[in-house]
Structures are given as structure tokens and as C-alpha cells.
Amino acid sequence: MTSAPRIHLAPAHPCMGWISMNRYWQALLLESAGDADVRSLFPEVPVESPASPRWVRLWVRRFAYPKLIRSKVKAGVMHLLDHSFADLLKKVPPGVKTVITVHDLIPLTEHSGLTASQQVRFARTVANVALADRVVCVSQHTRSEVRRLLHIPEEKLHVLPNGTSTLPAPEESMRQHLSGLPPFILTVGSSRPRKNLALLPPLARHLAAQGHRATLVRAGDRLDESLASEIRQHADLHELGGVSDAALAAAYATAALTLVPSTHEGFGLPVLEAMHAGCPVVHSLATSLPEVAGEAGLGFDPADAAQAAALCLQILTDPSLRQQKISAGLERAAEFTWKAHWQGLQKIYMELLQS
């Protein structure tokens, strides 16, 4: 890549405390290390950096970040790594080419835990995606959403799947804690409605009806007490709350299977994380999840708790099937690399620099 024009990586500001966006940013920093033509607008920070107070985040969004772009980005390509900052495209000086990565547009179609005013702000923000010269989508599903909801011309769109995030070595204390449990089903992430955690009580009930009292382990948002109580009628529930990446790695490594029952995902990184850790995946056949899991996962209708329970029971009771899915999952996860994602970005950058 020519050394004259600069490639500016513009992440979601670290003060936001968005772990998934920090992972994406740092994966690109790692792949671009040593390339003198690539510069990040911010120095690297720990993935799990906590969010700053709200007034700091507002000041950064409205004043500090736009000023930084105007002062630092003079030529070349600016790649905005998070669609939630799409309004910053309006601040890019003339002559600078722009790329933006869209991870999902879920708030445009689902409540997703946002207030009505937050949904309106999100819609106004992502409308600015149209200003970018190129739009990177992390899945074919996200691409179809961008095309349908934002009306972006086909020639601007590129699908570059995420890579498998390499989590730290499993935390030994968490591994030991979880190793004392019976073979368990792991769920990971937030408790927003689209995560479809309301499926867990009937799933546990169906398993109990077949003589299996399940052990469920949650890493992420704690469940509403009424939902947790329903689950505990038929299963043993262990809530870990928010955990470090090292503790999450231990959970994947120890689980009998990871259950991903979501009704809507832009990509579905827990599918790859689990497979990469050698953990079988049972997932809903919704949005991007079948695209990511391929034949390596076991898929079910997100509204069919009985079908989900049957697939979980197969993994829990059939060692040969479980081993088959572990091997298939390792092969599937190996197909998604950050190197391939970065190489795809480089092609886009070069096309814009030469245009």
C-alpha cells in the first residue's frame, strides 16, 4: 500500500465502554500492525475499558471527536468502525474518502431495549451511513438490512465477515468453579428481548419432562427475577453476571454446549467464540446465525422450545455427536479470520485511493 495517503481508523470512542466495538477495533489494530500507512485516531486501550460518565460521552460525541477528525484527517481514507457514530461522516473534510462498518440495524426493526427517543436518535444517526463512499457489512443478513432499510446503492456495499475473536487463556478460578457443576448449557450476552431468553423456562420444562434436570449457566446480564424463578422450577440456574474475557473463555471451555436462541443478530459472535473454544453450539435459525454457524451448529425454530430442548438433549447425551460437532465447529471457526477481514478492507481502501 502506498505510504503517501493515510488510512485513519476511527473507532467508537473508548469512553463508551463498548466491549464488542473495542474488540473489532483492536482486531484491526493487530492485523495492521507495522503498516506505516495506517493510523488509529486513538491509542489502544484495554478491551474491557469501563464507560465514562454520561456528560463525558456527550462532550466527546458532540465536540471532541468532530474536532479531532477535522484536525487529524486531511487526506486519504477514514474508516469509521461503528455505525453508531455515522453522524461523524458529516465532519470529514472534503476530499477524504470514507468507509463505515455496519454491524447491525436492529433498533430500526425491534425495540431492542431502547426508549422511543433513543430509537429516533439511532435512526437519525444511521441515516448518515449513506454519506460513506463504501459500506462494510459483517454478514449477508446485515447487508440485506442496510440495502432495505437505508436504501444504500448496491455498488457501495461489501460483505466482510468478522473474524474469530481470540479470547485470553481461560481464568483458572472460573474453570475450577464451573468444573464442579454437572454438564451445563451456557448462554452469553445481554437480556434484551431479541436474545429470546423467554425460551429458557419452556426449554427447561421440556428437558425435565424427558428426565433431564438441566443446569443452565448465564454469563452476562442477570435475568429478571420472575424469569429466573420460572427457570428454577425445572432447572438449576447459575448466573455469573458480567464476566471478564478470561472468565468467559473458561465458561466456553467448560460448557457442554452453548445455546444461542436469539431472534435477531447482526453477526452472532458467541457462535464463533464457542466453536473456537471447542464448545458445540445449538442456535436459532434466525437472521445471521445460520449464516455464521453453517453445518457445524444445530439449528432450531426460535419459537420452538421443544425442538431446542431436543437438540440440547442430543448434545448432552450423545458423546459421539458432541465430538462430531466440536470438530466441525473448530473447522468452521477457522474459516473466519481477522486476516481475511483486513485483506478485504485493504482492497476497499486501495480502490478508493486510486479512484
Side-chain angles (χ1 to χ4, degrees), residues 106-108 110-120 122-123 192-193:
I106 293 170
L108 294 185
E110 296 186 18
H111 182 268
S112 195
L114 301 181
T115 65
S117 60
Q118 287 173 325
Q119 288 178 291
V120 169
F122 180 84
R192 291 177 177 176

Side-chain angles (χ1 to χ4, degrees), residues 28 40 69 75 106 110 112-113 126 174 191 195 198 219 223 227 269 297:
L28 300 192
S40 174
I69 290 173
I106 293 170
E110 296 186 18
S112 195
V126 296
M174 180 62 74
S191 59
K195 296 298 184 178
L223 301 177
L227 179 60
L269 201 53

Side-chain angles (χ1 to χ4, degrees), residues 140-158:
Q140 290 289 349
H141 169 74
T142 295
R143 177 201 161 279
S144 68
E145 296 268 274
V146 170
R147 187 77 181 91
R148 178 173 65 89
L149 298 172
L150 301 183
H151 312 293
I152 306 298
E154 189 72 33
E155 60 271 18
K156 283 190 177 186
L157 302 178
H158 297 262

